[in-house]
Amino acid sequence: MNLILWRHAEAREGTPDLARELTQRGVRDAQCVAGWLVSHLPQNATIMASPALRTQQTAEALQMPFSVLETLAPDSTVADILNVAGWPTSRGTVLIVGHQPTLGRVAAWLLSGIEADWSIKKANVWWFSYRVREGSTQTFLRAVISPDIL
């Protein structure tokens, strides 16, 4: 299984929180990262976004179908993310467009087994893979992508 965590791109300040939209820089960064993702995502990837406008606008940069799930809202938990993704037993690739601090906590849990406040920068992608080799389970970080390096 592949689990890709994509933090939404830069958004305007304001309220209500769920209605905040991407800034011009956010749109640019989302499109940049989306270009990389489209060239690397398998055709049958499942894409899910939070109900927040900024995550939907980030996901729209992919120009691919995606689902909006209340479970992925800004107050979601590590368990929420992992359950929605079907980690680790789902087959294929799941891309989740979400928020800090939850995505950072998911990354920490996947790599260390402990929830910790790791930071995933805006518009960054962390790509995890899970496999079984010779009877042993392995979780590894396949890629970290930032618009700054693309």
Side-chain angles (χ1 to χ4, degrees), residues 78 82 87 104-116 118 128 139:
V78 170
L82 297 176
W87 181 270
R105 290 175 181 156
V106 171
W109 188 88
L110 291 173
L111 291 178
S112 72
I114 299 170
E115 278 189 45
W118 291 7
F128 297 89
T139 299

Side-chain angles (χ1 to χ4, degrees), residues 17-18 50-52 54 69-81 98-103 105:
D17 182 55
L18 293 180
S50 152
R54 60 193 178 275
L69 301 175
E70 292 294 324
T71 310
L72 301 176
D75 60 352
S76 64
T77 66
V78 170
D80 291 334
I81 302 286
H99 307 273
Q100 273 295 100
T102 309
L103 293 183
R105 290 175 181 156

Side-chain angles (χ1 to χ4, degrees), residues 133-148:
R133 284 269 166 100
E134 299 175 7
S136 178
T137 62
Q138 300 173 346
T139 299
F140 59 97
L141 183 59
R142 181 176 294 268
V144 173
I145 300 300
S146 170
D148 299 341

Side-chain angles (χ1 to χ4, degrees), residues 14-77:
T15 56
D17 182 55
L18 293 180
R20 293 172 45 214
E21 60 185 21
L22 295 183
T23 63
Q24 287 182 344
R25 177 184 176 180
V27 170
R28 228 179 16 254
D29 287 350
Q31 290 171 343
C32 179
V33 173
W36 183 89
L37 279 167
V38 166
S39 68
H40 290 84
L41 278 176
Q43 290 278 26
N44 62 347
T46 300
I47 304 166
M48 298 179 252
S50 152
L53 178 59
R54 60 193 178 275
T55 60
Q56 294 174 51
Q57 289 177 319
T58 299
E60 286 170 355
L62 292 167
Q63 297 181 356
M64 299 170 73
F66 65 93
S67 301
V68 174
L69 301 175
E70 292 294 324
T71 310
L72 301 176
D75 60 352
S76 64
T77 66

